[in-house]
Amino acid sequence: MVVATAWILKKHFDGFPKISDFELKKIELPDLKDGGEQKLLLESVFLSVDPYMRPYSRRYMKEGDIMIGTQVARIVESKNPAFAVGAFVVGSKGWRTHFISDGKDLQLLPSNWPESLPKSLALGTVGMPGLTAYFGLLEVCKMKPGETVLVNAAAGAVGSVVGQLAKIGGCKVVGCAGSDDKVAYLKKIGFDEAFNYKTVKSLDEALSKASPDGYDCFFDNVGGEFASVAINQMKKYGRIAVCGAISQYNDSVPQKGPYVQFPMIFKELQMEGFIVSRWSNRREEGLQALLKWVVEGKVKCHEQVTEGFENMPMAFMGMLKGENLGKAIVKV
Ligand code: NDP
């Protein structure tokens, strides 16, 4: 019998998450059976920590539930011929070291995944965050060559892909991030302009200096005050993809800010929220495009890898604080 270790949400987060909000739990797994749902035993190899876990936990979880999340896992035992022992899959089984599945809810890594490419990228650039950048830019921002694209949290999992895809698409790209090292990284991977939003004297001035003519597309990962300032620098008919609002996820009291109607009306803007799962029927298309660009070296990937399953809460909280460059990953 295998005993899995899992992190549960002991207490709903109130403000910024605390280590005492989490608890480790042991779970005995049943033996596999030929029929029914107990066909595969898997071990998590890499787990993802993502910003969405913060707002989703409040909406969709109750205290005592296993923390939600995705992993790259290896098949350890199989009674399902579609999954060979040793194969790698992406699962959404939450923060746990081992689990049982019938295979229906698992996705094999693309069959053309190169041996030399880290499998953890299936949680980042060639996974959900990469798809978010891809569909958000193409379908929501509807970027066109020659346009100027603004992205915030630009050195993170989604933002770093947004900037690079916008460059591939023939756009000028402006990004901002929360440290000088991150800004240097953005320039290294091809952003035309980048600045540290924590140290600029005026966000308004920094945005207009980076693109005096304004912005056609704004891929917003941050929301709050940043978005309120940036919306006024949109060009006429500009498009805003509302991807995330990480500046608000830990608020106990909702922020109040300037309202969007005036710039929306006078600049005739389009502003659309989205969730990447809208394009789950085009997942394969997106993954193949991203995989190709990564293999060709056109999209660079950086990962912030935390070692040890026991450190998942620290990795999660570190990511919310901005300690990650690129995708925050935990290696079991
Ligand atoms: P990141 O890898 O970008 O990590 C989060 C980053 O957010 C931190 O590194 C930090 O970078 C930045 N940050 C934290 N607090 C603040 C703040 N108060 N103001 C500005 N920046 C802050 O995460 P992801 O790329 O995974 O996610 C980025 C955004 O996209 C999130 O809002 C997430 O919820 C959203 N998302 C939405 C999806 C969708 O389907 N709509 C799917 C996936 C993600 P820094 O040092 O620059 O401050």
Side-chain angles (χ1 to χ4, degrees), residues 49-53 55-56 128-129 132 152-160 176-179 182 197-198 219-222 226 242-250 273-277 318-328:
V49 285
D50 299 88
Y52 75 82
M53 293 165 178
Y56 270 52
M128 183 278 283
T132 304
N152 47 20
V158 175
S160 59
C176 67
S179 78
K182 290 186 181 185
Y197 72 93
K198 289 184 180 166
F219 195 108
D220 186 15
N221 288 317
V222 168
F226 188 104
V242 183
C243 175
I246 195 164
S247 68
Q248 296 163 249
Y249 292 169
N250 292 306
F274 73 96
I275 297 179
V276 62
S277 53
M319 177 276 302
L320 289 176
K321 276 188 227 156
E323 288 170 4
N324 59 309
L325 176 65
K327 178 73 188 97

Side-chain angles (χ1 to χ4, degrees), residues 125 137 143 151 158-170 173 185-186 189-191 297-302:
T125 305
L137 269 178
M143 66 160 179
V151 57
V158 175
S160 59
V161 183
V162 168
Q164 295 182 86
L165 297 193
K167 285 308 295 176
I168 291 172
V173 182
Y185 175 72
L186 295 180
I189 63 173
F191 280 63
K298 290 185 180 154
V299 170
K300 305 266 186 280
C301 320
H302 193 280

Side-chain angles (χ1 to χ4, degrees), residues 11-18 21 54 58 250-252:
K11 205 166 175 326
H12 268 298
F13 306 123
D14 180 17
F16 198 89
K18 303 182 286 299
D21 298 329
R54 174 67 181 85
R58 177 62 73 176
N250 292 306
D251 290 345
S252 309

